[in-house]
Amino acid sequence: MTTQQSFTRHDITFPSGDSTCAGWLYLPTGVTSAPVVILGHGLGAVREMRLDAFAERFAQAGIAAVAFTYRHFGDSGGHPRQLLSIKRQLTDWDAAIAYVTARADVDRTRIAVWGSSFGGGHAITVASRHPELRAAVSQCPFTDGLASALALGPAASLKVLPVVARDLAARGRGKPPVMVPIAAAPGTPALMNAPDALPGYQALQPAETTFRNEVAARVIPTILTYRPGRAAKKITIPILFCVSDTDSVTPPAQTLRYARTAPKGEIKRYDAGHFDFYTGETFEVLVRDQIEFLTRQLNPAAAASAA
């Protein structure tokens, strides 16, 4: 039987680009120099939307955790608000790694990254760029913008183009961004309008949340051309892919093709939808698999025995 360790959670901020990211640091109680995993979320999501649930479990297993919110969202800095920039979010990941590396109360030589959905795609990109990391977890990952757009359907994709044009014009005139919903009902222009997208996002929101269901529409062309799955073949560290077999947002067939190119990749498949990964029994199975993987790669027992 596995014993669970207690932990403390600290509010943190760290600099990134022209502003700061807000986050939580989870430290296992009584452990010196614990390994650490950095957690980032999906499209427009903030860390309050169940990143804490995963981070708590990792901390109970003796692994410190940093869960952060990207700039322009939630309680992190950055203007304009609700700007989803792939380049800026990848800079936030680099900044989170730099922040962890500078801390004296964790083991800076044993760092892993964990991303979900759009953040799962970022985790692939980040892992390919940071060979000094020990491990990565990519959960229901966004791996190919074109494949996701095709899953959404050409008609639905075309519906958002006028909104994109208005936002690009607003940017050119120095006006506030024109927003598009992140998740909406089927048939409604949005980044995600699969039947389970809107109820799935709503189910992740706590009573008190900084989440806003909208982003600046200008991001849509960059999402279409973002294909982080192609970087999987360049990853030299162990990476665990947790794939939904019924994913309505990130098509599993394309994800699996990319995952199989990772030299040290491991694949776990789940008969559960994209938004089922965060709650209930699916969450319990997922987090157990991820703790087993991270424990093998980060060896938290070494930190505990040194305490």
Side-chain angles (χ1 to χ4, degrees):
M1 180 177 176
T2 304
T3 57
Q4 292 186 343
Q5 293 183 243
S6 60
F7 61 87
T8 55
R9 190 181 90 176
H10 308 269
D11 294 330
I12 61 168
T13 59
F14 55 85
S16 180
D18 57 0
S19 190
T20 57
C21 290
W24 295 315
L25 169 66
Y26 296 75
L27 290 174
T29 305
V31 178
T32 57
S33 200
V36 60
V37 57
I38 301 168
L39 296 88
H41 220 317
L43 275 175
V46 293
R47 67 187 184 283
E48 293 91 345
M49 296 166 71
R50 296 289 290 174
L51 286 197
D52 48 350
F54 286 91
E56 287 171 5
R57 294 296 186 88
F58 297 151
Q60 288 171 346
I63 300 168
V66 169
F68 73 94
T69 297
Y70 300 109
R71 281 177 294 164
H72 306 280
F73 293 93
D75 56 351
S76 290
H79 293 279
R81 303 307 295 167
Q82 303 304 113
L83 176 67
L84 203 169
S85 163
I86 294 169
K87 183 177 180 180
R88 285 171 178 254
Q89 290 194 350
L90 291 172
T91 298
D92 294 344
W93 277 100
D94 291 343
I97 293 171
Y99 169 79
V100 167
T101 303
R103 290 195 69 98
D105 52 359
V106 296
D107 187 343
R108 63 196 74 182
T109 70
R110 290 186 291 161
I111 301 172
V113 292
W114 180 105
S116 190
S117 194
F118 205 62
H122 289 337
I124 297 170
T125 302
V126 171
S128 74
R129 295 178 176 180
H130 287 273
E132 76 278 10
L133 296 171
R134 284 291 188 92
V137 176
S138 182
Q139 173 176 293
C140 55
F142 173 98
T143 56
D144 191 297
L146 184 58
S148 289
L150 292 173
L152 187 64
S157 298
L158 289 172
K159 282 184 179 180
V160 300
L161 292 182
V163 188
V164 174
R166 292 202 302 274
D167 187 36
L168 291 173
R171 182 175 66 178
R173 297 195 303 268
K175 302 290 186 182
V178 177
M179 301 292 178
V180 64
I182 298 169
T188 306
L191 295 188
M192 297 182 290
N193 60 11
D196 59 340
L198 184 57
Y201 254 55
Q202 290 172 335
L204 301 184
Q205 297 174 43
E208 299 293 327
T209 180
T210 55
F211 174 70
R212 288 167 52 187
N213 185 21
E214 60 181 8
V215 295
R218 69 193 65 168
V219 72
I220 290 172
T222 64
I223 290 176
L224 291 173
T225 56
Y226 186 41
R227 305 176 78 183
R230 292 186 298 178
K233 62 181 179 292
K234 303 174 186 174
I235 298 173
T236 58
I237 62 173
I239 178 169
L240 173 65
F241 296 92
C242 298
V243 182
S244 159
D245 281 338
T246 57
D247 203 313
S248 62
V249 177
T250 57
Q254 184 69 286
T255 296
L256 291 166
R257 278 194 287 272
Y258 284 129
R260 291 179 183 125
T261 68
K264 296 182 180 178
E266 299 181 26
I267 299 171
K268 293 277 189 178
R269 299 172 65 170
Y270 304 86
D271 184 20
H274 186 89
F275 297 97
D276 296 330
F277 274 27
Y278 302 94
T279 57
E281 182 55 33
T282 304
F283 163 77
E284 296 293 341
V285 174
L286 264 167
V287 79
R288 282 198 298 269
D289 288 344
Q290 293 171 3
I291 287 171
E292 188 278 330
F293 171 79
L294 290 171
T295 298
R296 271 192 286 123
Q297 309 305 333
L298 299 178
N299 190 21
S305 63

